[in-house]
Amino acid sequence: SCKMVPVMAGGIVLGGKRYSFAEYLQVALITLGVSVFNFGGKKKKVGKPDQPFGLLLLGASLLMDAVTGGLQDRVKASTKALNPSDPKAKPTMHESMFWTNASGCLVAAALGLATGHLTEGFAFCSRHPEVLQAVLIYSLASAVGQNFIYYTITQFGPLLLSTVTTTRKIFSTVYSVLRNPSNSLDEMQWAGCTLVFVGLAVELLEKALPSKKPAKDPKKL
């Protein structure tokens, strides 16, 4: 629920981004709203207590979100700086998609070799070759889906993408309630939804309202 916070921090620290007050307010409202929504609802069965290693992995995941988003902003800024004649210069979505997946493949291969999971995976596929069809379908579906993800990153930026991925659960839940009223939400969850929608409205209002331009000096007219 707080993915937008590290993405924004990474954009500031690594990407040199500057955000408006409305964008800070939007991130705060959406993050708070999703957190309130997740803590609301019917209490689930008590499971095992949180483990330090699991919390460490969650923290590492958020840190990688910050690094990834910041580097994506930096690449866009560097591309524009290297092409001063073209103010709209930026990496294409397929360039971003290729290099991100290529680097991820190298990291995954190194970790797979170090842990032995890579050899175990190949051995499993050799014993059960029918699984390769499922792997191929999954890979194609992932590649198609990533086109939308990297289009959003290249055209609008990592922060907007994290906004979409953070709020999609809220939208799908509200749609589920509207479609089937038996899937009810409690007051706390509705309050969380309201905060999310207010956060989204902040950005819409910022774009809809005309920006104030400095008045022209009448002496120069």
Side-chain angles (χ1 to χ4, degrees), residues 80-93:
K80 185 177 295 186
L82 292 172
N83 297 272
S85 60
D86 184 5
K88 296 183 179 180
K90 56 188 171 184
T92 67
M93 66 176 185

Side-chain angles (χ1 to χ4, degrees), residues 191-219:
C193 290
T194 302
L195 287 172
V196 170
F197 292 136
V198 170
L200 294 174
V202 167
E203 182 181 8
L204 295 176
L205 288 174
E206 183 190 28
K207 293 181 177 179
L209 295 176
S211 58
K212 294 182 179 180
K213 296 182 179 180
K216 293 183 180 180
D217 189 350
K219 295 181 180 179

Side-chain angles (χ1 to χ4, degrees), residues 129-143:
E130 64 275 9
V131 79
L132 294 175
Q133 181 179 359
V135 171
L136 178 61
I137 295 174
Y138 173 80
S139 301
L140 291 174
S142 175

Side-chain angles (χ1 to χ4, degrees), residues 100-184:
T100 301
N101 282 283
S103 58
C105 181
L106 292 176
V107 172
L111 292 175
L113 284 172
T115 58
H117 291 169
L118 186 63
T119 54
E120 292 178 5
F122 280 122
F124 179 84
C125 290
S126 64
R127 294 194 304 269
H128 306 279
E130 64 275 9
V131 79
L132 294 175
Q133 181 179 359
V135 171
L136 178 61
I137 295 174
Y138 173 80
S139 301
L140 291 174
S142 175
V144 172
Q146 285 187 39
N147 280 277
F148 299 96
I149 293 173
Y150 285 97
Y151 177 82
T152 304
I153 291 174
T154 55
Q155 298 297 321
F156 305 102
L159 183 60
L160 180 63
L161 177 66
S162 66
T163 303
V164 174
T165 57
T166 301
T167 57
R168 62 182 176 180
K169 178 181 178 182
I170 301 293
F171 283 106
S172 62
T173 303
V174 172
Y175 172 72
S176 151
V177 171
L178 295 176
R179 187 183 62 178
N180 184 5
S182 63
N183 298 327
S184 60

